Amino acid sequence: MATIIVDNKSYTVDEKQNLLVACLGHGLNVPYFCWHPAMGSVGACRQCAVKQFKDDRDQSGRLVMSCMTPAANGTRISIDDPEAKAFRASVIEWLMVNHPHDCPVCDEGGECHLQDMTVMTGHVYRRSRFPKRTHRNQALGPFIRHEMNRCIQCYRCVRFYRDYAGGRDLNVFGAHDALYFGREQDGTLENEFSGNLVEVCPTGVFTDKTFFHHYTRKWDLQSAQSICPHCSLGCNTTAGERYGTLRRMTNRFNSQVNGYFLCDRGRFGYEYVNGEHRIKHPLVRAGSDRTQPGMPEGVSKTLEFAADRLRQARRIVGIGSPRASLEANVALQSLVGPQQFYQGIDERERQLLSTILNVFRTGPVPSASIHDAEQADAVLVLGPDLLNEAPRLALALLQSIRQQPMERVDQLKIPYWDEAAVRNAVQNRRGPLFLAGHHRTWFHAYATDSYFAASDDIARLGFAVAGTIGQGAPSVPDLSREVKDLAQCIAEALTHAQRPLIIAGTGSGSQATIEAAANVAWALHQQGKQPRLSFVLPEANSAGLALLGGGSLHDAFDSIRQGKADTVIVLENDLYRRADQTKVDAFFDRAQTVIVIDSLEHRTGTHADVLLPAATGPESDGTFVNQEGRAQRFYQVFAQNDDIKESWRWLSDLARVTSQDVERESGVATWRNFDDAVSATATAAPELARVGEVAPSASFRLVGQKIPRQSERCSGRTSLLSHLTMHEPPPPVDQDSPLGFTMEGYRGPLPSPLISQFWAPGWNSIQAVNTYQDEVGGPLRDEMPGVRLIEPVATKTPAWFTAIPRAFQPASRQWLLLPLFAVFGSDELSNRSPAIAERITQPFLSLHPSDGARLSLEDLSTIDLALQGTTYSLVVHFEPSTPVGTAGLSLVPEVSGVRVPTWVDLFEAIRIEGKRRAA
């Protein structure tokens, strides 16, 4: 630690930081533009000038840029020096010479960093009387609006997009003060993290186009913490609502999870909440003919009808869901009984999740957070397409490849915050990143080496790496010289690292790759390293569902088919996405009563005798467990109409009405609020015992007050209803959380899950996050980043996995159909968002060119392929990275019901297609 003197006051700071970070960490206001806590300093804007003095006798000093000056021990500076203040004001004045005075109509108005800095420097009057420089704006796709006239040339956008996120289609053009930040020509921004430009840009150059379609001022948004439901990483978000409409989703800082950034699916995939496909009212189908539409009924009548059916049931099958909260799944398990609770996933996925849990339960290697991934100094990925399955993890790996080259930076004694100097020293050096999969993306350009093969061959590579590293680990026979050399190269890179990371997943359907990844991590642990393991899972609460246990969807089908049960409750799950259509049809045909609880219309809902409208994540309270086993809480941001309830509340009400005896109520029937649900969840499985520690309970108060969801500047609820009445109705009462649906309440330091908006005096933009941290870039004060439910076991002799698969052999007439996930298209919820829908591609089949020639197909031709009882029209893409003997199927909405991997006869498909065309 070091001591610096700022305006004659001493402060203890981290000597590894620069003066700007040191000052901000102590609550001292220094204006800045180009610096960002995740991207370091480049000294481009000159806004953070302070006066530095040699010692206490120096009366003149000199101006320095605080972001480019180390916080060395004894440094003496002044922020309030008149010359420094005048210099900072002049910088703002020159920036404003060409900046339009359009704050009242700018989407960024009210949370604009430029506005904050202009006020902070005291610039209030425009002296320039000359015409402003103007630019033509670009059409950048469905996510981002572009207004280049507002640019202040801070370079943040291109630094993030190109240097941090790996994008290549956004750049800076021109020279000196005639600069243009955009694409070479109009077109959609291609990078999967382009939405972060909205928060990275300190002005209104890049703004959220989805928010623009239903815009409202930021201070009128009602906000609360949420968790992204679109993949298994559990990124933290802040949901904002106005007039009963979810208006936007922004990144929410969590030091252990997503940090400062979010992928575009998580940011722009929220509009399914407002979509026309929402189930808004309970529906009842009284007759036996399920082809007839259900009739809307009131809540009480619907519950009585459903309860009557449940009383008559022989036995009830409960089908859970990996996209439903822990509490909802526990409620269903409590209602039907543990023996009749099924996880709502197919048998293969259930086995894969079970294997992953056993790896963490019995092994010595902990799971990796996204923050851990960023700090890894060598990475091996066995199988997952991270860019499309878990984008935020891919972004973390783009930072991890900088870790090992930083040794050169240390040798040159360059501070890490000096971004320009660091990049100059590192040049094109990259740390070890090995990617093994079956489809190439732009992410592979950053890999040390890539290996494209079928899943069994990828697993064999992993076992070979483990066998090279670990004493007693099984070796792999009959490897080709090329694969042996690659395994040796990977093993050497991993053993030379201190924090290696091994990543696998369930997407390929391969048990062997999961076991191989575990062997590699255990071998590294045996060698005294500090490895981490990360498994990419299918959905937001896949890990939580696996912790609860239960049978597979196949077991549920058997229970109805064999007559053991005759009634089904389906919780937030479209079974047609998880099993063959014929099997699901037969399942529903045999069931006497089908009760479906969900928020969106889908094919499963058309079979419901009772359809209950569930609240979505932003409309409910709940807990998700992400892929590292971290339980995190999300909160209701607004109250929907009385017909829409959280799934766990529907199940509690249903149990209560069914029991008919208040004195004999038990289980879920006794739940009265969310705290009851959390308490029951904590007893549902041993690993869930700490779920109550994830966030404060509903009874939490500070100075006897609840915490407001609305900002101090909110226009109030009267204005919302002024066109209907001048009398302000009482706000909804939230009995399930410490939050209130008002602007009144406690304003002060809070546990991090309860922070509705990041705001501080003088800091209205997202940069206000700095004021919530003791160390800028570090954890929030009183941060509750979630609770890790599974910790490693201390053991030096791991039980190696030994079932090494045989090498993949292409078949003569069949191809192994492999999944090709799409960041825009493979997720069930985000597909219902209009902006995301614009980015979804047509379904295609990827083939190696040699296989295409063998089938006499041409690139970009069309093929009709019959899969599991349905015929799909697919565009053929020739892709050299597709392994010979396999075909990749893009998992977009049109083919969402196909289970892969599976074998297909493409010769037969082409023969049938040829006959059809000839006819």
Side-chain angles (χ1 to χ4, degrees):
M1 302 300 285
T3 299
I4 65 172
I5 299 91
V6 182
D7 290 316
N8 298 317
K9 291 184 179 180
S10 297
Y11 298 91
T12 301
V13 300
D14 182 356
E15 71 275 9
K16 295 180 181 179
Q17 294 291 358
N18 57 46
L19 289 174
L20 175 62
V21 172
C23 291
L24 293 175
H26 281 280
L28 303 173
N29 288 341
V30 179
Y32 63 87
F33 288 117
C34 64
W35 172 83
H36 188 280
M39 297 186 291
S41 307
V42 292
C45 69
R46 323 308 288 172
Q47 184 60 67
C48 63
V50 296
K51 179 70 73 70
Q52 182 177 14
F53 302 93
K54 293 180 181 178
D55 51 41
D56 55 0
R57 293 170 296 180
D58 184 1
Q59 298 298 311
S60 56
R62 65 188 183 101
L63 290 176
V64 298
M65 301 305 119
S66 59
C67 75
M68 301 299 293
T69 307
N73 190 47
T75 299
R76 182 180 293 270
I77 63 171
S78 172
I79 299 172
D80 294 333
D81 179 84
E83 185 181 0
K85 292 176 70 175
F87 182 90
R88 295 194 298 265
S90 71
V91 171
I92 283 284
E93 183 171 24
W94 278 111
L95 291 177
M96 296 300 291
V97 163
N98 287 301
H99 190 85
H101 291 192
D102 63 348
C103 296
V105 297
C106 176
D107 288 6
E108 197 75 2
E111 61 174 5
C112 175
H113 187 61
L114 177 60
Q115 283 181 331
D116 289 345
M117 299 301 97
T118 302
V119 173
M120 191 176 292
T121 59
H123 175 67
V124 296
Y125 185 76
R126 176 175 179 252
R127 294 186 292 174
S128 174
R129 292 293 180 265
F130 298 100
K132 291 179 181 286
R133 178 194 61 222
T134 58
H135 298 281
R136 186 186 72 83
N137 302 322
Q138 290 185 320
L140 298 179
F143 297 157
I144 303 293
R145 294 183 74 228
H146 188 230
E147 178 51 76
M148 185 56 206
N149 292 328
R150 298 170 182 154
C151 183
I152 59 171
Q153 295 92 44
C154 71
Y155 286 87
R156 267 194 187 186
C157 57
V158 292
R159 288 176 58 213
F160 169 79
Y161 197 88
R162 298 179 67 85
D163 299 342
Y164 196 95
R168 284 295 171 264
D169 60 318
L170 180 81
N171 211 336
V172 53
F173 304 93
H176 194 50
D177 65 340
L179 298 177
Y180 190 91
F181 294 83
R183 300 180 84 250
E184 182 183 7
Q185 58 186 357
D186 287 20
T188 299
L189 289 171
E190 298 170 1
N191 190 267
E192 289 80 359
F193 310 99
S194 64
N196 292 289
L197 295 174
V198 174
E199 294 181 24
V200 166
C201 177
T203 71
V205 177
F206 302 100
T207 53
D208 185 339
K209 184 177 280 189
T210 65
F211 185 39
F212 170 76
H213 294 319
H214 37 230
Y215 182 76
T216 191
R217 287 301 184 189
K218 318 313 185 291
W219 55 80
D220 284 333
L221 287 172
Q222 185 167 261
S223 305
Q225 170 171 294
S226 194
I227 303 297
C228 177
H230 304 309
C231 81
S232 63
L233 297 183
C235 293
N236 288 210
T237 59
T238 297
E241 172 268 350
R242 175 90 165 155
Y243 288 113
T245 300
L246 188 62
R247 301 303 180 105
R248 70 170 181 179
M249 198 69 71
T250 56
N251 182 75
R252 185 183 185 88
F253 183 86
N254 184 318
S255 65
Q256 295 303 307
V257 189
N258 48 302
Y260 290 96
F261 303 119
L262 196 63
C263 81
D264 286 355
R265 181 168 64 185
R267 185 181 297 274
F268 302 113
Y270 67 90
E271 289 189 286
Y272 72 93
V273 175
N274 309 322
E276 60 183 13
H277 299 290
R278 285 293 306 275
I279 302 169
K280 297 289 185 69
H281 304 284
L283 299 177
V284 170
R285 186 180 288 108
S288 59
D289 185 3
R290 291 184 182 146
T291 63
Q292 298 299 316
M295 299 300 294
E297 291 286 358
V299 170
S300 59
K301 287 187 178 181
T302 302
L303 287 173
E304 285 292 349
F305 178 87
D308 185 60
R309 291 290 187 96
L310 293 181
R311 294 187 202 105
Q312 299 174 27
R314 183 185 311 116
R315 186 174 291 177
I316 307 168
V317 164
I319 298 179
S321 171
R323 65 173 168 88
S325 68
L326 265 181
E327 292 77 13
N329 280 291
V330 169
L332 180 59
Q333 185 187 63
S334 176
L335 177 62
V336 302
Q339 300 304 316
Q340 296 304 311
F341 176 76
Y342 301 91
Q343 294 184 3
I345 55 180
D346 64 34
E347 180 61 27
R348 177 164 52 193
E349 185 177 322
R350 190 191 71 82
Q351 290 179 354
L352 296 178
L353 292 173
S354 178
T355 299
I356 290 171
L357 278 184
N358 288 332
V359 166
F360 287 129
R361 282 167 170 163
T362 62
V365 177
S367 59
S369 67
I370 296 178
H371 177 72
D372 292 333
E374 290 180 345
Q375 301 302 312
D377 51 358
V379 181
L380 170 61
V381 180
L382 293 173
D385 176 4
L386 296 182
L387 204 59
N388 290 293
E389 294 183 61
R392 185 59 185 82
L393 185 55
L395 185 63
L397 296 193
L398 287 178
Q399 317 320 309
S400 75
I401 60 178
R402 297 185 59 184
Q403 295 300 319
Q404 201 171 94
M406 295 301 275
E407 295 174 1
R408 172 67 175 163
V409 174
D410 291 334
Q411 292 170 1
L412 296 173
K413 297 183 178 179
I414 298 173
Y416 286 6
W417 49 259
D418 192 346
E419 182 67 8
V422 167
R423 289 195 175 274
N424 189 47
V426 170
Q427 296 290 324
N428 293 323
R429 298 181 184 91
R430 293 173 185 157
L433 171 61
F434 298 94
L435 303 178
H438 57 263
H439 184 70
R440 182 182 294 277
T441 65
W442 64 260
F443 188 57
H444 286 82
Y446 293 87
T448 306
D449 207 340
S450 299
Y451 179 62
F452 299 102
S455 298
D456 285 349
D457 288 341
I458 292 173
R460 287 168 62 84
L461 172 66
F463 279 116
V465 172
T468 304
I469 298 172
Q471 182 178 1
S475 59
V476 183
D478 305 325
L479 281 178
S480 67
R481 171 54 56 188
E482 178 187 3
V483 177
K484 279 184 180 179
D485 291 344
L486 178 58
Q488 182 66 36
C489 177
I490 295 172
E492 289 178 359
L494 294 176
T495 52
H496 281 92
Q498 292 302 312
R499 301 177 303 279
L501 171 65
I502 315 301
I503 301 175
T506 63
S508 65
S510 171
Q511 176 97 358
T513 57
I514 292 171
E515 296 175 349
N519 273 13
V520 175
W522 292 344
L524 289 165
H525 181 269
Q526 187 186 66
Q527 299 302 313
K529 304 298 178 181
Q530 299 175 352
R532 293 290 188 271
L533 258 174
S534 182
F535 293 107
V536 178
L537 307 184
E539 298 181 56
N541 201 29
S542 292
L545 188 65
L547 288 171
L548 281 179
S552 68
L553 201 54
H554 177 75
D555 298 328
F557 290 173
D558 282 347
S559 183
I560 293 292
R561 181 175 56 80
Q562 296 169 7
K564 297 178 181 178
D566 58 1
T567 298
V568 179
I569 301 177
V570 182
L571 172 65
E572 298 187 40
N573 205 333
D574 182 6
L575 305 190
Y576 286 95
R577 293 176 59 91
R578 306 185 188 278
D580 293 348
Q581 178 176 334
T582 53
K583 292 182 179 179
V584 179
D585 286 342
F587 173 67
F588 286 133
D589 289 343
R590 290 190 179 98
Q592 291 184 11
T593 301
V594 177
I595 299 174
V596 175
I597 306 173
D598 213 332
S599 57
L600 298 174
E601 297 172 351
H602 46 62
R603 284 189 291 174
T604 294
T606 62
H607 292 273
D609 297 295
V610 179
L611 185 60
L612 301 176
T616 61
E619 299 164 333
S620 58
D621 303 305
T623 307
F624 282 158
V625 181
N626 75 351
Q627 91 322 326
E628 63 162 316
R630 184 184 299 272
Q632 300 183 100
R633 184 67 40 78
F634 56 90
Y635 286 110
Q636 181 182 22
V637 68
F638 66 107
Q640 270 287 7
N641 65 61
D642 292 338
D643 285 356
I644 297 177
K645 301 183 182 183
E646 296 101 324
S647 294
W648 64 263
R649 198 178 297 279
W650 276 120
L651 291 162
S652 177
D653 291 347
L654 193 56
R656 207 157 31 247
V657 175
T658 304
S659 69
Q660 292 185 319
D661 188 346
V662 176
E663 294 183 357
R664 298 180 61 185
E665 285 180 359
S666 62
V668 67
T670 64
W671 297 9
R672 294 297 187 270
N673 54 44
F674 185 67
D675 280 357
D676 292 341
V678 172
S679 298
T681 301
T683 63
E687 286 93 350
L688 299 178
R690 297 181 59 206
V691 75
E693 302 173 22
V694 171
S697 67
S699 61
F700 179 85
R701 299 290 187 276
L702 287 168
V703 198
Q705 301 177 77
K706 299 193 82 170
I707 290 82
R709 286 178 170 91
Q710 299 167 11
S711 74
E712 288 181 285
R713 300 183 296 161
C714 182
S715 301
R717 310 308 285 187
T718 303
S719 64
L720 291 177
L721 302 174
S722 59
H723 61 298
L724 299 176
T725 176
M726 292 306 296
H727 301 284
E728 181 173 358
V733 177
D734 186 356
Q735 299 179 343
D736 295 321
S737 80
L739 303 174
F741 291 106
T742 67
M743 60 189 294
E744 293 84 17
Y746 177 78
R747 303 280 182 182
L750 294 168
S752 61
L754 302 182
I755 300 172
S756 297
Q757 305 94 11
F758 289 98
W759 179 88
W763 299 87
N764 297 285
S765 75
I766 192 62
Q767 304 298 313
V769 169
N770 299 336
T771 67
Y772 287 73
Q773 300 164 322
D774 285 325
E775 180 182 343
V776 175
L780 302 174
R781 297 188 197 93
D782 297 321
E783 185 173 66
M784 301 177 72
V787 175
R788 287 169 57 99
L789 301 178
I790 304 177
E791 295 297 342
V793 176
T795 176
K796 294 184 178 180
T797 55
W800 304 106
F801 290 107
T802 58
I804 300 174
R806 291 181 295 177
F808 173 76
Q809 295 295 330
S812 59
R813 291 187 58 85
Q814 290 193 317
W815 277 255
L816 179 62
L817 194 63
L818 299 174
L820 297 181
F821 294 95
V823 64
F824 308 123
S826 295
D827 167 62
E828 182 180 4
L829 299 180
S830 64
N831 293 345
R832 307 292 186 96
S833 301
I836 297 291
E838 287 190 42
R839 296 291 304 274
I840 298 175
T841 62
Q842 294 298 310
F844 66 88
L845 188 74
S846 177
L847 287 171
H848 191 276
S850 64
D851 283 335
R854 183 179 161 206
L855 290 162
S856 301
L857 292 173
E858 296 181 359
D859 193 20
L860 302 182
S861 59
T862 302
I863 180 175
D864 286 346
L865 187 60
L867 295 170
Q868 299 160 2
T870 304
T871 300
Y872 302 95
S873 180
L874 307 172
V875 177
V876 176
H877 288 183
F878 287 175
E879 172 53 56
S881 66
T882 302
V884 174
T886 72
L889 177 67
S890 63
L891 298 184
V892 293
E894 291 88 339
V895 294
S896 61
V898 178
R899 263 77 52 215
V900 284
T902 188
W903 287 90
V904 294
D905 186 343
L906 294 182
F907 277 116
E908 180 67 14
I910 294 172
R911 185 183 67 81
I912 294 174
E913 174 69 4
K915 283 186 175 181
R916 185 185 66 82
R917 291 184 176 178

